[in-house]
Amino acid sequence: MSVPLQTDIHRSMLASALIGIGLMAGVDEIIFHQLLGWHHFYDLATPKIALFSDGLLHSAELIVLVAGFFMLIDLRGRQALASTAAWAGLFIGLGGFQLFDGMVDHKVLRLHQIRYGIDNLLTYDLVWNASGVALLLIGLLLGRRCASGRPG
């Protein structure tokens, strides 16, 4: 009978944060870029370049997802997965990507906006960023639970 090894909180959080980043990038790519057609990753050039930029985003998203899942598989195989830390990392990754995209990509770099041709972009910005903050807060609260040593 094998003895479970000590859990690795840091790697558990990192692995699932990568998965969260990749998942949220995928949701953004599929829903807002492809299905709704609201924007592309880089909208300041020709449609071909905009589509190419979406392909680069999709490639990066897949690389991050695969890296996160390989780390997660390694942790499980070594019986070192800290489940609460993994959930914390997932939500931190989801919310962190959403908030980074909303603040840096949309407002600072102006690579694209959430939606074009509307009268009130502020509503979209507020909902987009508030959802990122909510997900991030869930992750931080779960992370705080790990740091305090409470199980779960």
Side-chain angles (χ1 to χ4, degrees):
M1 176 176 357
S2 67
V3 176
L5 303 174
Q6 185 175 0
T7 59
D8 190 336
I9 291 172
H10 177 73
R11 280 186 65 83
S12 295
M13 194 173 286
L14 178 60
S16 58
L18 290 173
I19 293 167
I21 290 167
L23 284 175
M24 190 55 78
V27 167
D28 181 25
E29 169 75 26
I30 292 165
I31 294 175
F32 298 103
H33 297 215
Q34 295 174 8
L35 296 176
L36 296 175
W38 284 3
H39 63 261
H40 296 283
F41 181 71
Y42 183 71
D43 275 333
L44 303 177
T46 65
K48 281 187 177 184
I49 291 184
L51 188 59
F52 180 75
S53 72
D54 283 347
L56 292 176
L57 174 64
H58 189 60
S59 298
E61 147 208 328
L62 288 175
I63 289 167
V64 169
L65 270 172
V66 168
F69 275 113
F70 270 103
M71 288 176 69
L72 192 69
I73 290 167
D74 174 62
L75 287 162
R76 285 197 53 152
R78 293 186 294 113
Q79 297 178 343
L81 181 65
S83 62
T84 302
W87 282 108
L90 179 71
F91 280 100
I92 288 170
L94 293 168
F97 177 87
Q98 185 79 358
L99 198 55
F100 181 89
D101 187 41
M103 299 302 292
V104 176
D105 292 343
H106 297 177
K107 298 304 167 199
V108 174
L109 300 176
R110 297 191 176 277
L111 296 175
H112 61 265
Q113 293 300 320
I114 296 169
R115 192 169 182 192
Y116 295 96
I118 56 167
D119 293 331
N120 191 1
L121 183 59
L122 179 62
T123 302
Y124 286 86
D125 286 334
L126 291 175
V127 171
W128 191 273
N129 291 324
S131 65
V133 167
L135 292 166
L136 195 56
L137 284 175
I138 291 168
L140 292 173
L141 289 171
L142 288 169
R144 187 171 156 195
R145 185 180 201 185
C146 289
S148 71
R150 288 191 292 179

